[in-house]
Amino acid sequence: MRISVDAMGGDFAPKEIVAGSIQAAEKLQGLEKLYLVGDEAAIQAELDLHKGPIPPCIEIFHCTEVVDMGDSPATAIRRKKDSSIARSVELVKDGKADAVFSAGNTGAAVAAATLKLRTLKGVSRPAIATIMPTPEKPFVLLDAGANPDSTPEMIQQYAVMGSIYSQEILGVTKPSVGLLSIGEEDAKGNETTKKTFRLLQATDVNFIGNVESRDMYGGKVSVAVCDGFVGNVVLKTSEAVAKMIGNWLKDMFKQNIFRIIGYIFARGVFKEMKSHADPSSYGGAPLLGANGVVIIGHGSSNAFATFNGIRVASEAISHDVNHLIEDELRRINPET
């Protein structure tokens, strides 16, 4: 397996990205090549800080530009042709890499993948699939922001792609698929969800009908599908609520000595909760439907998140997820 890594993408690049890449090169089986794409001097400086030999599969791919978080995605890809994210994706396009991981500008990663790799046969637009934690098992939410104006046909494709990803990567047998709406009844929702509902009924996935937000976190579904506008609002609201509750707990435990003592006895539980909900352990969000494996990490990705992003990329390669998606979509729509 050959994976390209956008070494300059993210809030803590290149330090954390390089550190996580070294961990991946040391621990993951089957890595033939790991390209660190970005400013050669900056990347080499981080490699020089590593205690011990650098794994031979690591190779620096030099480029001169970086897409900043505030850059307009499409404009940045057109104007910054020698950016780390553009060159990382091009390595996949040129057949030198099988997958790409980037924790940089999400819009730019989506734009680069869409423009340079195109889509799989039968896929209208690629979708961001985010792994969301629940008390029992994680579920896949898509689209989480790539396509704010998704059509019913696109959401049908999301259901197929998310179901395959849940089965192959998360190990869920016969994943349940729910359509995110404002009520469980068949007639609830807008025109897009109503038409999507009928399409999903005729699709060979384990469709259980409409679901509400509470159903997702209650473990009712393995895959929740919606348009990118709704999905991104759900994702960011969930992150904000989780952060707010965490801050509340910290403030409450500091109010008196008895609560501090209580926290000391319970901190193992809180540590376990934090680990369970930590997005770093899931590595990143796959851009399903792109003609190549693309994993998009959180902007605040640390070395642990980078390691897991590369791990998820390697699993997607080994499970041949993209070919499974193409085969299933071709079976559903033979004319595509």
Side-chain angles (χ1 to χ4, degrees), residues 11-331:
D11 299 336
F12 306 113
K15 180 180 176 61
E16 294 294 321
I17 307 301
V18 172
S21 298
I22 293 174
Q23 291 178 25
E26 292 175 337
K27 297 178 181 179
L28 298 180
Q29 299 292 323
L31 276 181
E32 176 188 341
K33 186 71 67 175
L34 197 60
Y35 294 101
L36 297 183
V37 183
D39 181 81
E40 183 174 11
I43 296 171
Q44 188 61 55
E46 296 299 332
L47 290 174
D48 291 341
L49 295 176
H50 179 65
K51 296 179 181 179
I54 300 300
C57 68
I58 288 181
E59 180 179 322
I60 299 175
F61 188 97
H62 178 66
C63 59
T64 60
E65 296 177 299
V66 175
V67 175
D68 297 321
M69 290 297 192
D71 286 347
S72 168
T75 302
I77 295 302
R78 287 196 300 268
R79 294 182 179 176
K80 295 185 175 180
K81 298 185 182 298
D82 197 35
S83 67
S84 56
I85 180 59
R87 295 304 188 198
S88 296
V89 172
E90 284 174 5
L91 285 170
V92 177
K93 177 185 176 182
D94 296 339
K96 295 180 180 179
D98 305 301
V100 56
F101 169 79
S102 175
N105 185 309
T106 298
V110 173
T114 304
L115 293 171
K116 296 177 183 295
L117 301 179
R118 303 299 180 181
T119 61
L120 298 173
K121 291 181 180 179
V123 176
S124 301
R125 295 278 186 86
I128 297 174
T130 300
I131 313 303
M132 305 287 284
T134 72
E136 294 184 2
K137 58 183 179 180
F139 68 92
V140 182
L141 171 70
L142 72 166
D143 178 21
N147 308 291
D149 298 305
S150 305
T151 65
E153 291 76 16
M154 290 165 65
I155 300 175
Q156 178 194 38
Q157 294 164 15
Y158 302 163
V160 172
M161 296 191 295
S163 185
I164 290 173
Y165 191 85
S166 177
Q167 181 173 305
E168 295 297 321
I169 304 302
L170 300 182
V172 179
T173 302
K174 200 175 181 182
S176 55
V177 178
L179 174 62
L180 188 57
S181 188
I182 57 174
E184 296 181 357
E185 297 82 2
D186 298 3
K188 287 288 183 71
N190 56 26
E191 289 305 312
T192 297
T193 59
K194 290 176 184 177
K195 185 175 180 181
T196 302
F197 189 98
R198 294 191 293 271
L199 285 175
L200 291 178
Q201 282 184 313
T203 306
D204 191 18
V205 296
N206 184 22
F207 179 52
I208 63 170
N210 288 337
V211 295
E212 300 179 46
S213 295
R214 62 185 177 185
D215 297 320
M216 297 188 301
Y217 293 103
K220 187 175 180 178
V221 295
S222 308
V223 180
V225 294
C226 56
D227 68 58
F229 183 90
V230 172
N232 195 256
V233 170
V234 169
L235 173 61
K236 291 179 178 176
T237 301
S238 300
E239 290 178 341
V241 170
K243 185 176 181 179
M244 178 188 68
I245 292 174
N247 290 335
W248 268 358
L249 287 172
K250 287 180 182 179
D251 292 339
M252 289 178 180
F253 274 115
K254 293 177 181 178
Q255 288 182 3
N256 59 59
I257 187 64
F258 299 105
R259 292 186 177 185
I260 293 174
I261 293 172
Y263 168 76
I264 292 173
F265 283 105
R267 61 184 173 184
V269 174
F270 291 113
K271 186 177 181 180
E272 186 176 342
M273 285 177 58
K274 183 178 180 181
S275 175
H276 187 70
D278 185 3
S280 298
S281 61
Y282 301 109
L287 184 65
L288 297 180
N291 189 22
V293 175
V294 180
I295 306 297
I296 301 173
H298 199 284
S300 61
S301 291
N302 55 18
F304 182 59
T306 300
F307 165 79
N308 280 309
I310 297 170
R311 173 185 58 78
V312 169
S314 68
E315 290 174 356
I317 296 168
S318 62
H319 285 260
D320 213 3
V321 168
N322 281 350
H323 281 149
L324 293 174
I325 289 172
E326 281 190 324
D327 290 345
E328 184 62 18
L329 289 175
R330 189 183 301 112
R331 193 181 66 79

